[in-house]
Amino acid sequence: MKCIAVMAVCVAVIAVCFISALHVKANAVERATVTDAELQALSQQLHIDDVNAVQGIVLNVQSTTTSGSTTDKAPLPLFSSVPAGAFSGPTVSKLLALFDNYDENCKVTEVITAEEQTENDAFLDAILGTSVMQQAHQFLVSKGLADSSVAVFKEYLRQIWLGQYNRGGGYQSSSGFEHIFLGEKDNTTIQGYHSWFKYYRDEQAGKINYLGYLRNINLGVSSVIGLPMSWNGLYKSISSISISGSPEIELALATVCFLARPNAKCPLYGANATPYAYQTYTLTYNSKTYIGSAYPTY
């Protein structure tokens, strides 16, 4: 009887392992079926449905420049005009509330207060309440890349975007959100910084000097501009920012690409079917995977 019982346990274990293997294999197949065409179709629809995009921004791109050039080819600011009320939208206002929660010095350990946690929750809830993020979530669920529960998905977004990690140097001082939406400094260089909201505010405050552009891509509702960057005396030879898009579309596209095309260029379309891409990088810290960086490119 003991032998029969042991055999029964072994068979059960084998069955569980077999089912688990099938589940893993199924997920692998689903991941493999995220085609470039699907990513392009999704991104185009998200751009079209981006109702919180800021319309009417006027840029003064002036002269082209080259990567690595510190010569100022643009004596005037990049932003000529931004409509009144541009920063009062339901998701933009929640985004801006997070801007003073971080120290731009990546050698300063961040401490998240209870008030900041509340602001993080409000931001995630606002993002998840938009059609853009809901469509992105549904797409990821259909590909086996995200849990169907909105509550579970929210906590996943909290981890990969707002979770603190050590980017190097022994300080738990960085996150995907801070790196991408605000930018970081490490005494001599600029790291990240891909948000037009932050760029505009810094330009208005005299903290950033527009030097000219490398490439300017019209996406219909928004645009992507490649440019060198001079921020409070520090220089970055090449960067890129999306102009006019809402916080949710940048978060949605970056999340989809982070999961569907990690550490690679992710092919996308603008609202007008103009091709561009999103480059993402993963970062592993304490056995968890975070967004190391994500930015629009071409």
Side-chain angles (χ1 to χ4, degrees):
M1 291 295 292
K2 289 184 179 180
C3 291
I4 293 173
V6 171
M7 288 178 65
V9 171
C10 291
V11 169
V13 170
I14 292 170
V16 169
C17 292
F18 180 69
I19 292 170
S20 298
L22 286 178
H23 179 68
V24 170
K25 186 176 181 181
N27 283 342
V29 171
E30 288 177 338
R31 287 171 183 262
T33 59
V34 181
T35 67
D36 289 354
E38 287 174 321
L39 291 169
Q40 291 164 335
L42 173 69
S43 55
Q44 182 176 17
Q45 191 60 53
L46 295 186
H47 277 291
I48 292 170
D49 293 341
D50 190 16
V51 296
N52 289 324
V54 179
Q55 304 290 338
I57 291 176
V58 178
L59 299 180
N60 185 5
V61 295
Q62 301 164 74
S63 300
T64 58
T65 186
T66 56
S67 174
S69 173
T70 57
T71 303
D72 191 345
K73 301 288 186 65
L76 298 176
L78 171 61
F79 287 89
S80 288
S81 175
V82 173
F87 302 113
S88 61
T91 55
V92 176
S93 59
K94 297 297 190 296
L95 170 75
L96 298 183
L98 307 188
F99 276 20
D100 63 356
N101 294 350
Y102 297 91
D103 191 312
E104 62 195 25
N105 186 343
C106 62
K107 296 187 183 300
V108 174
T109 299
E110 303 283 2
V111 177
I112 302 174
T113 66
E115 180 183 2
E116 290 170 353
Q117 191 67 264
T118 299
E119 291 173 343
N120 288 345
D121 276 324
F123 173 66
L124 291 174
D125 288 339
I127 293 293
L128 286 165
T130 65
S131 171
V132 165
M133 199 64 194
Q134 288 166 4
Q135 288 179 66
H137 181 209
Q138 289 163 9
F139 177 82
L140 292 170
V141 170
S142 73
K143 298 300 179 182
L145 295 171
D147 195 283
S148 60
S149 165
V150 175
V152 172
F153 186 57
K154 175 184 174 180
E155 292 311 308
Y156 180 68
L157 292 177
R158 188 196 305 278
Q159 175 190 310
I160 64 173
W161 279 101
L162 300 170
Q164 296 290 312
Y165 52 73
N166 176 5
R167 194 175 286 274
Y171 303 91
Q172 191 167 314
S173 59
S174 186
S175 68
F177 176 86
E178 180 183 8
H179 182 82
I180 295 160
F181 280 91
L182 287 96
E184 300 173 296
K185 301 174 182 176
D186 68 350
N187 297 330
T188 60
T189 61
I190 300 169
Q191 298 182 8
Y193 200 134
H194 302 288
S195 165
W196 77 266
F197 300 102
K198 181 66 159 47
Y199 194 101
Y200 173 76
R201 284 165 65 106
D202 280 350
E203 192 172 67
Q204 290 291 297
K207 296 179 180 179
I208 201 154
N209 179 27
Y210 175 61
L211 304 174
Y213 72 100
L214 304 170
R215 191 168 175 182
N216 186 22
I217 305 173
N218 179 8
L219 300 178
V221 176
S222 59
S223 62
V224 171
I225 186 167
L227 71 174
M229 192 174 284
S230 176
W231 180 27
N232 280 341
L234 296 183
Y235 177 75
K236 186 177 182 181
S237 62
I238 182 170
S239 190
S240 60
I241 54 176
S242 291
I243 308 288
S244 298
S246 67
E248 60 263 31
I249 196 163
E250 301 308 326
L251 203 83
L253 292 173
T255 301
V256 168
C257 290
F258 172 76
L259 290 168
R261 296 288 188 277
N263 301 306
K265 279 188 178 182
C266 180
L268 306 176
Y269 277 166
N272 57 2
T274 296
Y276 75 112
Y278 234 98
Q279 173 73 52
T280 66
Y281 291 100
T282 63
L283 188 149
T284 302
Y285 179 67
N286 286 344
S287 302
K288 293 182 180 179
T289 302
Y290 301 86
I291 292 178
S293 189
Y295 52 87
T297 186
Y298 32 82

